[in-house]
Coordinates of all heavy atoms in Angstrom, one line a residue:
H188 N 99.8 -10.8 -55.9 CA 100.0 -11.2 -54.5 C 98.7 -11.0 -53.7 O 98.0 -10.0 -53.9 CB 101.1 -10.2 -53.9 CG 101.3 -10.4 -52.4 ND1 101.9 -11.6 -51.9 CD2 100.9 -9.7 -51.4 CE1 101.9 -11.5 -50.6 NE2 101.3 -10.3 -50.3
R189 N 98.4 -12.0 -53.0 CA 97.2 -12.0 -52.2 C 97.5 -11.7 -50.7 O 98.3 -12.4 -50.1 CB 96.5 -13.4 -52.3 CG 95.0 -13.3 -52.2 CD 94.4 -14.6 -52.5 NE 93.6 -14.9 -51.4 CZ 93.1 -16.0 -51.1 NH1 93.3 -17.0 -51.9 NH2 92.3 -16.2 -50.1
S190 N 97.0 -10.7 -50.1 CA 97.2 -10.3 -48.7 C 96.4 -11.3 -47.9 O 95.3 -11.7 -48.2 CB 96.7 -8.9 -48.5 OG 96.9 -8.6 -47.1
R191 N 97.1 -11.7 -46.7 CA 96.4 -12.6 -45.8 C 96.4 -12.1 -44.4 O 97.2 -11.2 -44.0 CB 97.2 -14.0 -45.8 CG 97.2 -14.6 -47.2 CD 97.8 -16.0 -47.2 NE 98.7 -16.2 -46.0 CZ 99.5 -17.2 -45.9 NH1 99.7 -18.0 -46.9 NH2 100.3 -17.4 -44.9
I192 N 95.5 -12.5 -43.6 CA 95.4 -12.2 -42.2 C 96.6 -12.7 -41.5 O 97.0 -13.8 -41.7 CB 94.1 -12.7 -41.6 CG1 92.9 -12.0 -42.2 CG2 94.2 -12.5 -40.1 CD1 91.6 -12.6 -41.7
I193 N 97.2 -11.8 -40.7 CA 98.4 -12.2 -39.9 C 98.0 -12.8 -38.5 O 98.5 -13.8 -38.1 CB 99.4 -11.0 -39.7 CG1 99.9 -10.6 -41.1 CG2 100.5 -11.4 -38.8 CD1 100.6 -9.3 -41.0
R194 N 97.0 -12.1 -37.9 CA 96.5 -12.6 -36.6 C 95.2 -11.9 -36.4 O 94.8 -10.9 -37.0 CB 97.5 -12.3 -35.5 CG 97.6 -10.8 -35.1 CD 98.7 -10.6 -34.1 NE 98.9 -9.2 -33.9 CZ 98.4 -8.5 -32.9 NH1 97.7 -9.1 -31.9 NH2 98.7 -7.2 -32.8
F195 N 94.4 -12.5 -35.5 CA 93.1 -11.9 -35.0 C 93.4 -11.0 -33.8 O 93.8 -11.5 -32.7 CB 92.2 -13.0 -34.7 CG 90.8 -12.6 -34.3 CD1 89.8 -13.5 -34.0 CD2 90.4 -11.3 -34.2 CE1 88.5 -13.2 -33.7 CE2 89.1 -10.9 -33.8 CZ 88.2 -11.9 -33.6
D196 N 93.4 -9.7 -34.0 CA 93.8 -8.8 -32.9 C 92.8 -8.6 -31.8 O 93.1 -8.8 -30.6 CB 94.2 -7.4 -33.5 CG 94.8 -6.5 -32.4 OD1 95.9 -6.8 -32.0 OD2 94.1 -5.6 -32.0
H197 N 91.6 -8.3 -32.1 CA 90.6 -8.1 -31.1 C 89.2 -8.1 -31.6 O 89.0 -7.9 -32.8 CB 90.8 -6.7 -30.3 CG 90.5 -5.5 -31.1 ND1 91.4 -4.9 -32.0 CD2 89.4 -4.7 -31.1 CE1 90.9 -3.9 -32.5 NE2 89.7 -3.7 -32.0
V198 N 88.2 -8.2 -30.7 CA 86.8 -8.0 -31.0 C 86.3 -6.9 -30.2 O 86.7 -6.8 -29.0 CB 86.0 -9.4 -30.8 CG1 86.1 -9.8 -29.4 CG2 84.6 -9.3 -31.3
G199 N 85.4 -6.1 -30.7 CA 84.8 -5.0 -29.9 C 83.4 -5.3 -29.5 O 82.6 -5.9 -30.2
V200 N 83.1 -4.9 -28.2 CA 81.8 -5.1 -27.7 C 81.4 -3.8 -27.0 O 82.1 -3.3 -26.2 CB 81.8 -6.2 -26.6 CG1 80.4 -6.5 -26.0 CG2 82.4 -7.5 -27.2
T201 N 80.2 -3.3 -27.4 CA 79.7 -2.1 -26.8 C 78.9 -2.5 -25.6 O 78.0 -3.3 -25.7 CB 78.8 -1.3 -27.8 OG1 79.6 -1.0 -29.0 CG2 78.3 0.0 -27.2
V202 N 79.1 -1.8 -24.5 CA 78.5 -2.1 -23.2 C 78.0 -0.9 -22.5 O 78.4 0.3 -22.9 CB 79.5 -2.8 -22.2 CG1 80.0 -4.1 -22.9 CG2 80.6 -1.9 -21.8
R203 N 77.0 -1.0 -21.6 CA 76.5 0.1 -20.9 C 77.4 0.5 -19.7 O 77.8 1.6 -19.4 CB 75.1 -0.1 -20.4 CG 74.5 1.1 -19.6 CD 73.0 1.0 -19.5 NE 72.3 0.9 -20.7 CZ 72.0 1.8 -21.6 NH1 72.5 3.0 -21.4 NH2 71.3 1.6 -22.7
N204 N 77.8 -0.5 -18.9 CA 78.5 -0.3 -17.7 C 79.9 -0.9 -17.8 O 80.2 -2.0 -17.6 CB 77.8 -1.0 -16.5 CG 78.5 -0.6 -15.1 OD1 79.7 -0.5 -15.0 ND2 77.6 -0.5 -14.1
L205 N 80.8 0.0 -18.2 CA 82.2 -0.4 -18.5 C 82.9 -1.0 -17.4 O 83.6 -2.1 -17.5 CB 83.0 0.9 -19.0 CG 84.2 0.6 -19.8 CD1 84.0 -0.1 -21.1 CD2 84.9 2.0 -20.2
D206 N 82.8 -0.5 -16.2 CA 83.5 -1.0 -15.0 C 83.0 -2.4 -14.6 O 83.8 -3.3 -14.3 CB 83.4 -0.1 -13.8 CG 84.2 1.2 -14.0 OD1 85.2 1.1 -14.7 OD2 83.7 2.3 -13.6
H207 N 81.7 -2.6 -14.7 CA 81.1 -3.9 -14.4 C 81.5 -5.0 -15.4 O 81.9 -6.1 -14.9 CB 79.5 -3.8 -14.4 CG 78.8 -5.0 -14.0 ND1 78.7 -5.4 -12.7 CD2 78.2 -5.9 -14.8 CE1 78.1 -6.6 -12.7 NE2 77.7 -6.9 -13.9
V208 N 81.5 -4.7 -16.6 CA 81.9 -5.7 -17.6 C 83.4 -5.9 -17.6 O 83.9 -7.0 -17.8 CB 81.4 -5.2 -19.1 CG1 81.8 -6.3 -20.1 CG2 79.9 -5.1 -19.0
R209 N 84.2 -4.9 -17.4 CA 85.6 -5.0 -17.3 C 85.9 -6.0 -16.1 O 86.7 -6.9 -16.3 CB 86.3 -3.7 -17.0 CG 87.8 -3.8 -16.8 CD 88.4 -2.6 -16.1 NE 87.7 -2.2 -14.9 CZ 87.8 -2.8 -13.7 NH1 88.6 -3.8 -13.5 NH2 87.1 -2.3 -12.7
A210 N 85.3 -5.8 -15.0 CA 85.5 -6.6 -13.8 C 85.2 -8.1 -14.1 O 85.8 -9.0 -13.7 CB 84.7 -6.1 -12.6
F211 N 84.1 -8.3 -14.9 CA 83.7 -9.7 -15.3 C 84.8 -10.3 -16.1 O 85.2 -11.5 -15.7 CB 82.4 -9.6 -16.1 CG 82.0 -10.9 -16.7 CD1 81.3 -11.9 -16.0 CD2 82.4 -11.3 -18.0 CE1 81.0 -13.1 -16.5 CE2 82.1 -12.5 -18.6 CZ 81.3 -13.4 -17.8
F212 N 85.4 -9.7 -17.1 CA 86.4 -10.3 -17.9 C 87.7 -10.4 -17.2 O 88.5 -11.3 -17.4 CB 86.6 -9.5 -19.2 CG 85.5 -9.8 -20.2 CD1 84.6 -8.8 -20.6 CD2 85.4 -11.0 -20.8 CE1 83.6 -9.1 -21.5 CE2 84.4 -11.3 -21.8 CZ 83.5 -10.3 -22.1
V213 N 88.0 -9.4 -16.3 CA 89.3 -9.5 -15.5 C 89.1 -10.7 -14.6 O 90.1 -11.5 -14.4 CB 89.5 -8.2 -14.7 CG1 90.6 -8.4 -13.6 CG2 90.0 -7.1 -15.7
G214 N 87.9 -11.0 -14.1 CA 87.7 -12.2 -13.2 C 87.9 -13.5 -13.9 O 88.3 -14.5 -13.3
L215 N 87.7 -13.5 -15.2 CA 88.0 -14.7 -16.1 C 89.5 -14.8 -16.3 O 89.9 -15.9 -16.8 CB 87.3 -14.6 -17.4 CG 85.7 -14.8 -17.4 CD1 85.2 -14.6 -18.8 CD2 85.4 -16.1 -16.8
G216 N 90.3 -13.8 -16.1 CA 91.7 -13.9 -16.3 C 92.3 -12.9 -17.4 O 93.5 -13.0 -17.6
L217 N 91.4 -12.1 -18.1 CA 91.9 -11.2 -19.0 C 92.6 -10.0 -18.2 O 92.3 -9.8 -17.1 CB 90.8 -10.6 -19.9 CG 90.2 -11.6 -20.8 CD1 89.1 -10.9 -21.7 CD2 91.1 -12.3 -21.7
E218 N 93.6 -9.4 -18.9 CA 94.3 -8.3 -18.3 C 94.0 -7.0 -19.0 O 93.9 -7.0 -20.2 CB 95.8 -8.6 -18.3 CG 96.2 -9.9 -17.6 CD 97.6 -10.4 -17.8 OE1 98.3 -9.8 -18.7 OE2 98.0 -11.3 -17.0
V219 N 93.9 -5.9 -18.2 CA 93.7 -4.6 -18.8 C 95.0 -4.1 -19.5 O 96.0 -4.0 -18.8 CB 93.2 -3.6 -17.7 CG1 93.1 -2.2 -18.3 CG2 91.9 -4.0 -17.1
E220 N 94.8 -3.8 -20.8 CA 96.0 -3.3 -21.5 C 96.0 -1.8 -21.5 O 97.0 -1.2 -21.6 CB 95.9 -3.9 -23.0 CG 97.0 -3.5 -23.8 CD 96.9 -4.1 -25.2 OE1 96.2 -3.5 -26.1 OE2 97.5 -5.2 -25.4
G221 N 94.8 -1.2 -21.5 CA 94.7 0.2 -21.5 C 93.3 0.7 -21.4 O 92.3 -0.1 -21.6
R222 N 93.1 2.0 -21.0 CA 91.8 2.6 -21.0 C 91.9 4.0 -21.4 O 92.8 4.7 -21.0 CB 91.3 2.5 -19.5 CG 89.9 3.0 -19.3 CD 89.3 2.7 -17.9 NE 88.0 3.1 -17.8 CZ 87.1 2.6 -17.0 NH1 87.5 1.6 -16.2 NH2 85.9 3.0 -16.9
T223 N 91.0 4.5 -22.3 CA 91.1 5.8 -22.8 C 89.7 6.3 -23.3 O 88.8 5.5 -23.6 CB 92.2 6.0 -23.8 OG1 92.4 7.3 -24.1 CG2 91.8 5.2 -25.1
F224 N 89.6 7.6 -23.6 CA 88.5 8.1 -24.3 C 88.9 8.4 -25.7 O 90.0 8.7 -26.0 CB 88.0 9.5 -23.7 CG 87.3 9.4 -22.4 CD1 88.0 9.4 -21.2 CD2 85.9 9.1 -22.4 CE1 87.3 9.3 -20.0 CE2 85.3 9.0 -21.2 CZ 86.0 9.1 -20.0
V225 N 87.9 8.2 -26.7 CA 88.2 8.4 -28.1 C 87.1 9.2 -28.6 O 85.9 9.0 -28.3 CB 88.3 7.0 -28.9 CG1 88.5 7.3 -30.3 CG2 89.3 6.1 -28.3
E226 N 87.5 10.2 -29.4 CA 86.5 11.1 -30.1 C 87.2 11.7 -31.3 O 88.4 11.6 -31.4 CB 85.9 12.1 -29.2 CG 86.9 13.1 -28.6 CD 86.3 14.1 -27.6 OE1 85.1 14.5 -27.8 OE2 87.0 14.4 -26.6
G227 N 86.4 12.4 -32.1 CA 87.0 13.1 -33.3 C 86.7 12.4 -34.6 O 85.9 11.5 -34.7
E228 N 87.3 12.9 -35.6 CA 87.0 12.5 -37.0 C 87.2 11.0 -37.2 O 86.3 10.4 -37.9 CB 87.9 13.2 -38.0 CG 87.6 12.9 -39.4 CD 88.5 13.7 -40.4 OE1 89.2 14.6 -39.9 OE2 88.5 13.3 -41.6
F229 N 88.2 10.4 -36.6 CA 88.4 8.9 -36.8 C 87.2 8.2 -36.3 O 86.6 7.3 -37.0 CB 89.7 8.5 -36.2 CG 89.8 7.0 -36.1 CD1 90.2 6.3 -37.3 CD2 89.6 6.2 -35.0 CE1 90.3 4.9 -37.3 CE2 89.7 4.9 -35.0 CZ 90.0 4.2 -36.1
L230 N 86.8 8.4 -35.0 CA 85.7 7.7 -34.4 C 84.4 8.0 -35.2 O 83.6 7.1 -35.5 CB 85.6 8.1 -33.0 CG 84.5 7.3 -32.2 CD1 84.8 5.8 -32.2 CD2 84.3 7.9 -30.8
D231 N 84.2 9.2 -35.5 CA 83.0 9.6 -36.3 C 82.9 8.8 -37.6 O 81.8 8.4 -38.0 CB 82.9 11.1 -36.6 CG 82.8 11.9 -35.3 OD1 82.6 11.4 -34.2 OD2 82.9 13.2 -35.5
T232 N 84.1 8.6 -38.2 CA 84.1 7.9 -39.5 C 83.9 6.4 -39.3 O 83.0 5.8 -40.0 CB 85.5 8.1 -40.2 OG1 85.6 9.5 -40.4 CG2 85.5 7.4 -41.5

């Protein structure tokens, strides 16, 4: 059995000014799904 991609979920972009870039994309029509801090073993890995 060959596993296949079901859907393209997201692309990640590292930015310096989160609020400025968020406002740019919201202005284009994207919607904020969530905002949070991430740290720990998972992120380090």
Side-chain angles (χ1 to χ4, degrees):
H188 175 71
R189 213 172 122 191
S190 179
R191 298 184 344 194
I192 294 173
I193 298 169
R194 70 183 173 103
F195 183 177
D196 185 71
H197 71 276
V198 63
V200 181
T201 302
V202 302
R203 179 165 307 283
N204 187 323
L205 199 59
D206 290 326
H207 182 77
V208 179
R209 178 201 47 80
F211 172 84
F212 283 110
V213 167
L215 288 176
L217 294 182
E218 299 172 348
V219 175
E220 184 176 84
R222 184 172 184 153
T223 191
F224 286 92
V225 180
E226 63 185 321
E228 184 180 346
F229 171 76
L230 183 63
D231 294 354
T232 300

